[in-house]
Amino acid sequence: MSDEPAEPNKSFLRRLTLITQPALTRIAHGSAPFITTFVFIHLTAPVMANLGGTSLASQVMLLGREYYQTPFGEKYLVLAPLMVHPLSALLKRVLAPKPARRLTSILSITGYTAAVAVALHYFTHRIAPADPSSPIFAVGPSELDYEYVKFALQEWPWRSWLGYVGLTACVAWHAVEGMTVIWNTWLRPQLGSLPGTKRSRTLGVLVAGVLPVATGMFFMWREPLMVFASHAERFKAAFTQSPMYWY
């Protein structure tokens, strides 16, 4: 008698798993291209600093904002995929009777780390500067260019370098791991295996994606800060709202 209620429960969980796992897989995989597109556009600006310093980076950033900071684009092409992707992956893990991979896998570690880091990055660079109270006074979009990033690099060099380069590396590494999973799930039957080894693909993306961002930041860091002292105080007040810059 005591075993009877367990059978319906097991049957329900089994049906729930059969229904949710394929749907959550499609959601997680389907949101990835939107994130990749945003990351590519977003990181083009610091890469261009290799050629034209902070000025060119800021100009390219303004062009990129036409995609990811419009009323439609920011909500549905950027923020929605950035929220849906980790949440669907987390739900898939929680609801699966046996997760497809360990929590300590590279894909999982880089994914959850990137999710936290991106949330912190968004707060530091979008929410905190928009605070209308004193002394920030809502740093406007026209004022919020790569001088803001340069200020952080010069005011808090170690933690800023670690934050920016670490976030870029984490996202790039996760992208390589995820690309392999998506390719093997949807494209391998028609197109065959990905070229190269997993290690060579990872090294290639890290060198091609992270190194140009880091060198572009280096060129910006070497330049003098081109903002008024009053703007610098507002920048500092915005940054210090973030836990990363509390001390």
Side-chain angles (χ1 to χ4, degrees):
M1 294 292 292
S2 61
D3 293 337
E4 292 181 2
E7 291 302 322
N9 291 338
K10 289 182 180 179
S11 178
F12 171 76
L13 291 175
R14 192 176 298 113
R15 290 198 302 272
L16 183 64
T17 299
L18 291 174
I19 294 171
T20 59
Q21 292 297 300
L24 290 171
T25 297
R26 286 181 172 84
I27 292 171
H29 291 184
S31 58
F34 293 95
I35 299 174
T36 303
T37 302
F38 163 68
V39 169
F40 179 79
I41 294 172
H42 191 58
L43 293 182
T44 299
V47 170
M48 294 305 292
N50 288 285
L51 302 177
T54 308
S55 177
L56 183 57
S58 295
Q59 292 176 46
V60 173
M61 180 193 67
L62 291 175
L63 292 175
R65 283 178 177 175
E66 295 300 318
Y67 171 83
Y68 63 79
Q69 278 192 12
T70 62
F72 176 84
E74 186 168 30
K75 290 180 182 178
Y76 302 108
L77 300 180
V78 179
L79 295 181
L82 285 173
M83 293 177 64
V84 164
H85 188 71
L87 286 176
S88 58
L90 182 61
L91 281 173
K92 184 180 176 182
R93 174 174 292 277
V94 170
L95 295 175
K98 184 179 179 181
R101 59 190 54 82
R102 296 175 299 172
L103 192 59
T104 55
S105 67
I106 297 297
L107 182 66
S108 298
I109 291 174
T110 55
Y112 296 126
T113 301
V116 174
V118 166
L120 185 61
H121 182 81
Y122 182 77
F123 175 83
T124 305
H125 294 76
R126 287 287 285 138
I127 296 177
D131 187 348
S133 62
S134 174
I136 299 173
F137 298 115
V139 180
S142 61
E143 303 170 295
L144 201 61
D145 55 14
Y146 268 86
E147 292 294 332
Y148 188 73
V149 173
K150 187 201 297 183
F151 177 82
L153 292 171
Q154 295 184 358
E155 185 75 15
W156 303 280
W158 288 106
R159 70 185 80 180
S160 296
W161 275 98
L162 177 63
Y164 290 128
V165 177
L167 173 59
T168 306
C170 192
V171 169
W173 200 351
H174 181 72
V176 175
E177 295 287 323
M179 177 182 65
T180 303
V181 173
I182 293 173
W183 183 279
N184 290 338
T185 302
W186 305 105
L187 301 176
R188 186 174 181 177
Q190 292 79 27
L191 302 177
S193 301
L194 280 169
T197 64
K198 191 174 183 179
R199 183 177 181 181
S200 66
R201 290 193 298 269
T202 301
L203 290 175
V205 169
L206 290 176
V207 171
V210 180
L211 185 60
V213 172
T215 55
M217 288 170 54
F218 174 76
F219 285 115
M220 288 190 286
W221 171 69
R222 291 181 57 190
E223 295 177 355
L225 193 63
M226 301 295 289
V227 296
F228 293 113
S230 59
H231 279 72
E233 289 299 319
R234 295 166 67 198
F235 287 176
K236 186 172 184 178
F239 272 108
T240 52
Q241 286 199 4
S242 171
M244 190 170 180
Y245 297 98
W246 278 352
Y247 305 103

